Amino acid sequence: MIRSLSLAATAMALALAGCTTIEDGEIGTFEASEALMAAVVSPARPAEDVARDEARLPLETITFAGVAPGETIAEIAPGGGYYTRILAQAVGQQGKVYALVPASFASRPGGLDAINAIAEQYGNVEVVVVDGYGNLTLPEQVDLVWTTENYHDLANGDVAATNRWAYNALKPGGIYFVEDHSAPGTGLNATSTLHRIDPTAVRQQVTAAGFRFEAESDHLANSADPHTANPRELDGRSDKFALRFRR
């Protein structure tokens, strides 16, 4: 289990010790550094994003995923940019975030407006419209491929191609981070109905692409979730899993 700290407690720890270690034998020694903390508490983040922090625990999440200053990140399906903003500030101007927007989303009226505004605001975000991952080539290999709460949608398509792309897009030793709504014991049966997925199925699919499973964190787990409702009905409080894979 990854230790969950409130932002206030983390800020105090950072002030006293310079960083806060997320301690767990399984997940190694990643640290919630001052740079990561600054990304989460940044005044540039909109109030509606900050209001979601209690349910999404962004500091714990980016720490577990191994985000670090100077990295290059490929973010699959950034949506409204909740994590794009955090990742852009966390990697800093020496880093870069490729925001991979599905063509189906980009083609909606105003579909690119929000993410383009984020790219303009931060300067280290590049928007890439993606019509499938099989033929996608980025200008460089990345340190981290990131997907949050949308792997279940990828699983409804050619997810094997997506996972192969992720493997090839990463530098050797790079990280593939997957966080999603949990549907334990269901395999792929809930991906298009409840918009959830069985974490065991994710592990099987991702490792089949050549990745090594490295760690799982339960910092977003919710034992009160009966796993029978669409997560949108739960005000962000669904039972979620976080998995880290290594190329």
Side-chain angles (χ1 to χ4, degrees):
M1 177 178 177
I2 194 166
R3 186 175 63 202
S4 175
L5 299 175
S6 69
L7 291 182
T10 305
M12 178 65 72
L14 288 169
L16 293 175
C19 65
T20 298
T21 302
I22 304 297
E23 298 171 338
D24 189 294
E26 293 183 355
I27 69 170
T29 57
F30 286 128
E31 293 181 341
S33 67
E34 292 186 40
L36 300 192
M37 182 65 188
V40 173
V41 301
S42 169
R45 296 182 63 218
E48 56 267 29
D49 279 12
V50 175
R52 301 168 65 192
D53 287 353
E54 187 177 353
R56 301 200 74 173
L57 300 179
L59 181 62
E60 290 89 337
T61 300
I62 61 176
T63 300
F64 174 75
V67 176
E71 286 191 328
T72 301
I73 298 176
E75 182 189 13
I76 296 174
Y82 173 91
Y83 268 116
T84 312
R85 295 180 178 92
I86 293 173
L87 295 174
Q89 179 147 328
V91 300
Q93 290 305 308
Q94 299 304 310
K96 190 175 184 71
V97 177
Y98 291 101
L100 309 181
V101 181
S104 58
F105 188 92
S107 63
R108 301 174 187 174
L112 289 174
D113 290 354
I115 197 68
N116 282 340
I118 292 172
E120 183 176 355
Q121 177 183 5
Y122 287 93
N124 62 349
V125 175
E126 181 174 335
V127 178
V128 180
V129 176
V130 177
D131 188 9
Y133 293 87
N135 297 317
L136 174 62
T137 301
L138 295 177
E140 59 189 316
Q141 286 185 302
V142 301
D143 298 290
L144 173 64
V145 173
W146 173 286
T147 173
T148 50
E149 301 183 9
N150 48 44
Y151 186 95
H152 64 272
D153 292 321
L154 300 174
N156 290 323
D158 190 353
V159 73
T162 299
N163 290 335
R164 286 195 301 270
W165 165 81
Y167 187 89
N168 293 325
L170 283 164
K171 299 173 183 176
I175 291 172
Y176 188 16
F177 172 70
V178 180
E179 180 254 291
D180 211 339
H181 308 285
S182 187
T186 65
L188 303 175
N189 293 331
T191 57
S192 60
T193 54
L194 296 179
H195 299 278
R196 299 169 175 263
I197 192 167
D198 186 341
T200 299
V202 177
R203 287 181 59 169
Q204 291 171 344
Q205 291 177 335
V206 174
T207 55
F211 285 97
R212 174 173 61 86
F213 172 70
E214 187 167 80
E216 178 171 9
S217 173
D218 64 356
H219 70 283
L220 292 168
N222 178 8
S223 60
D225 180 358
H227 303 114
T228 55
N230 186 311
R232 292 183 179 180
E233 301 173 26
L234 301 175
D235 193 29
R237 306 289 180 168
S238 65
D239 181 29
K240 289 171 270 199
F241 60 87
L243 304 175
R244 196 174 71 231
F245 302 88
R246 185 81 63 171
R247 174 178 169 174

